[in-house]
Amino acid sequence: MPDVRPVQTIESDKSGIEATSIDGKLADIKSADSKIADYSLLKPALWEEVDGLAQTKQSLSDLSLSWPAWMQGCTTLINKPVWQRVCNTAMQLNSQMVGKPDSEAILAYFKQNFSVYKTTNIDGTDSGLITGYYEPILKGSRFKSAKYPNPLYRVPTDLISVELDSLFPELKYKRVRGRLVGSKLVPYYNRADIESDIAPLKGREFMYIDDIIDVFYLHVQGSGLVQLESGEQVHVGYADQNGLAYNSIGRLLVERGELTMATASMSGIKNWARNNPTKLRELLNSNPSYVFFRELPAGLPGPLGALGVPILGERVIAIDPKYVPLGSPVFLSTTEPNSTKPLKRLMMAQDTGGAIKGGVRADFYWGDGSEAGAKAGAMKQTGKIWVFLPKEFVVK
């Protein structure tokens, strides 16, 4: 992979469980991978095969930096029988070493209690796409004003979600969303409807942001920090989505000749928006998908991932839970954003995303702020993933 490439547009939808339009045919919903059993693309491997998990003390990866993320995950995983023993053992190790196990102790813990698997794709290959995401910081207020005109909405009271696996077990990770008109379930309002003068969600606002393009990218990333003028920072997180398909505005700008692949990054799109204010609303409305948020508890060390625990920067990835069990420790072997510099690290699979689909596919969480955003936007690497599962975990 060359050192210099076009930068990736930061547009990997973080909406979690895949939404499917209710006006499509069920035959279209049943994707090619629906016939593949959960986790069946995981292949047994040897610890010595894990690329970057060195076996000598001198070159052993610094596993201790990822240990807090694992302990965070165990606060939820311990409630699941298959994870109970390994989490209890981890807590005992944590207690014995005063919360600071070294890398050798951590590696010994994993080798004694876990089996290692290599992730593969449907076609049998073992390399896949690794992208990045981050938590943006936005300027906002709890009250609407000329300075803060752009609302964040709570989940609408008329939004209906239907889990499709209740009818079709093979559609475990898919749902449809809509609203009732009489006795019929119809598609929910799209972005243009929601942000029109009619404002069908009026009364569900809970926060107002200064920059509409920042709101759009908050929808893309799924969570963020809102900086209030009082100095307070408020975590807001994904609560639900309108069920309509995501459409990349970066791809659309390239197709229209407004930007090139090299300039269709988040910063490039923001610059375009500032230079084309009269075209901006039409561009944003070309993506009908719309995300609803909730205010998260104060004092969290990070946004809440799909596992339900705060996720830690540079130690968590989002995965496809059909192929990698949510919460699993994983070892990622890839390269730094827009580079060939190796990035080999113990990570925790504690998040998911609507665009994260496939056996060898991950989104690397870089943390919050502009520096993390720049790294996330530049990350479109090839990588391999190994999954650590408790020895009692049965992979079919």
Side-chain angles (χ1 to χ4, degrees), residues 277-310:
T278 60
K279 298 181 181 180
L280 180 57
R281 177 64 69 180
E282 181 274 333
L283 176 72
L284 298 184
N285 287 346
S286 69
N287 172 30
S289 174
Y290 204 90
V291 173
F292 310 111
F293 293 92
R294 62 190 176 111
E295 184 172 336
L296 300 177
L300 292 176
L304 293 179
L307 188 63
V309 300

Side-chain angles (χ1 to χ4, degrees), residues 299-320:
L300 292 176
L304 293 179
L307 188 63
V309 300
I311 60 176
L312 304 183
E314 301 189 36
R315 302 295 155 182
V316 166
I317 58 173
I319 46 76
D320 185 341

